[in-house]
Amino acid sequence: MFTLEFQGKPIAWKRARRRGKRYFDTQLEDKIKYQMVAKLQMEGVEAFINPISLFFRFNMPIPPSRPKKWRQNAPGMGHVFTPDLDNLVKFMGDALNGIVWEDDKLIYEIKAQKIYAEKPSTLLEVYAYDE
């Protein structure tokens, strides 16, 4: 198992935008930041080239607008609002393709959850096929 952690509010995938006949990626800067963090955490470890299983835990921020009692009980509760879980996974897949794994065709299983947490972050656990 290999673990990566990204601090800050999880980022959801967004469609490419169009200006005239040209398309551009509005999230390029965010993807580059995630790639740099992944490269630092993977120092000395090569990108996975065998089948892998992924577990994502997206720790979402607790909204300050909620009542104090609710905020105290929130850590660990499921987050059922936007952004959508599949868009969070898609962004991570796009950003880390070629960095953590050689190609996304190697991914044979994905498990993911969105929960409230005191400190927003994204945790990724990568399991090699033989583990």
Side-chain angles (χ1 to χ4, degrees), residues 105-120:
K105 69 181 177 189
L106 297 171
I107 302 168
Y108 70 91
E109 179 181 39
I110 296 176
K111 295 180 182 176
Q113 66 179 189
K114 238 180 8 168
I115 60 171
Y116 286 109
E118 293 290 332
K119 294 183 180 179

Side-chain angles (χ1 to χ4, degrees), residues 30-94:
D30 292 329
K31 288 179 184 176
I32 290 171
K33 288 177 191 173
Y34 272 64
Q35 290 170 353
M36 288 173 46
V37 170
K39 285 178 183 178
L40 286 172
Q41 291 184 34
M42 290 189 65
E43 192 170 328
V45 178
E46 294 293 320
F48 288 86
I49 58 171
N50 294 320
I52 54 174
S53 173
L54 304 176
F55 172 71
F56 292 99
R57 183 170 59 226
F58 299 100
N59 297 314
M60 305 303 286
I62 299 170
S65 61
R66 292 294 196 129
K68 184 177 180 180
K69 185 171 179 112
W70 187 93
R71 288 194 317 262
Q72 290 171 343
N73 296 329
M77 279 184 4
H79 181 277
V80 293
F81 302 100
T82 56
D84 296 347
L85 184 61
D86 61 329
N87 288 332
L88 292 167
V89 170
K90 269 193 256 186
F91 174 81
M92 293 297 292
D94 279 356

